[in-house]
Amino acid sequence: MPYEIDFLRAGDSNGDAIIVKYGDTKDGNFSLNLIDGGFTDTSDEIIAHIKKHYSAKAKIANVVLSHADNDHATGLIKVLECEDFTFFDLWMNRPWDYVDDVIDSFHGAYTREGLIKKMREMHPYLVEMEKVAAKRGITIRAPLQGAKIGPFTVLAPSRDRYIKLIPDLDKTPPSYASASKGIFGSLVKAVADVAEKVLERLDFETLDDNPPATSASNETSVVAVGLLRQQARAVDRRRRPRRAC
């Protein structure tokens, strides 16, 4: 299946904004996947790029949020609101969907309804995306292991893995286990983070052969594989900004 992949600049962050075009482009019978949206100010660039290079009235088969960090999620809201585009499926994992599986990790600190409310308060942009999807008739699906997103199959996270990570998410109320680490653990992490940033500014390489574990939120990131082939025709890569994110 022919494909093109565009990596758009997502501001001064580690966020992504990726557009995947796949299908037979000769007769215009192609599909678009939008993966992540960077920060809010990336929205206009995404909209302009799609209108210029694909269609002013684009039909976007799938919008995928890899994980619920601000620099990946907030830029998708305005794109989803764009009435010039038609959307079909929005793929994103929402921690409150699994409240019954994780509530015991909070040792009675929350009722079921209270924990859902707190989780939603801590993810206002996911709530906003829910509202836009409901208003526009966009189906929300969970990108968990085995799900099919166009020609892609989700490899990770599995449902069990995602549930296991929920109590440790930065934007989830502290669980009993994380709270028991106390202020000392937070202080050690803060000092390590500052030291790494100082070294990077001094042009020291801080990559480690045995790096520490990433955040729980990053661990929930969607990983997918697709069977595609590069288009035979040459693509003028100067007309579209691309970079590795």
Side-chain angles (χ1 to χ4, degrees), residues 67 69 165 168-170 189 212-220:
H67 62 293
D69 280 353
L165 290 165
D168 295 324
L169 297 177
D170 291 340
K189 183 179 185 303
T214 185
S215 69
S217 182
N218 283 335
E219 287 285 350
T220 68

Side-chain angles (χ1 to χ4, degrees), residues 77-222:
I77 296 172
K78 187 174 180 180
V79 179
L80 289 168
E81 291 175 331
C82 181
E83 295 185 358
D84 291 331
F85 298 159
T86 300
F87 300 93
F88 295 92
D89 291 334
L90 168 59
W91 297 81
M92 65 178 185
N93 288 315
R94 297 167 290 182
W96 51 86
D97 286 343
Y98 308 95
V99 65
D100 293 328
D101 297 286
V102 301
I103 194 166
D104 289 345
S105 299
F106 298 88
H107 293 260
Y110 292 90
T111 64
R112 182 180 187 277
E113 293 72 21
L115 183 56
I116 291 173
K117 180 181 178 182
K118 188 63 176 178
M119 286 177 170
R120 290 173 67 85
E121 288 175 351
M122 299 179 81
H123 294 84
Y125 41 89
L126 297 189
V127 174
E128 188 62 28
M129 290 167 69
E130 276 187 337
K131 292 178 180 178
V132 175
K135 180 180 179 181
R136 303 204 61 191
I138 303 169
T139 301
I140 298 179
R141 303 185 186 278
L144 296 173
Q145 187 178 75
K148 303 291 185 181
I149 306 178
F152 298 91
T153 300
V154 177
L155 301 180
S158 67
R159 186 181 188 278
D160 289 345
R161 176 62 172 159
Y162 182 73
I163 290 171
K164 184 177 180 180
L165 290 165
I166 288 175
D168 295 324
L169 297 177
D170 291 340
K171 293 184 175 64
T172 296
S175 65
Y176 179 82
S178 61
S180 67
K181 295 178 183 178
I183 192 171
F184 180 74
S186 299
L187 181 61
V188 170
K189 183 179 185 303
V191 171
D193 289 345
V194 170
E196 181 173 335
K197 289 180 180 178
V198 170
L199 288 172
E200 287 177 349
R201 289 174 182 174
L202 294 175
D203 292 329
F204 284 94
E205 178 57 73
T206 59
L207 294 177
D208 193 335
D209 290 335
N210 295 294
T214 185
S215 69
S217 182
N218 283 335
E219 287 285 350
T220 68
S221 293
V222 176

Side-chain angles (χ1 to χ4, degrees), residues 49-71:
H49 185 89
I50 292 174
K51 287 186 175 183
K52 179 179 180 180
H53 298 297
Y54 296 113
S55 173
K57 298 290 184 180
K59 295 182 179 180
I60 301 174
N62 300 287
V63 176
V64 183
L65 175 60
S66 64
H67 62 293
D69 280 353
N70 301 35
D71 59 346

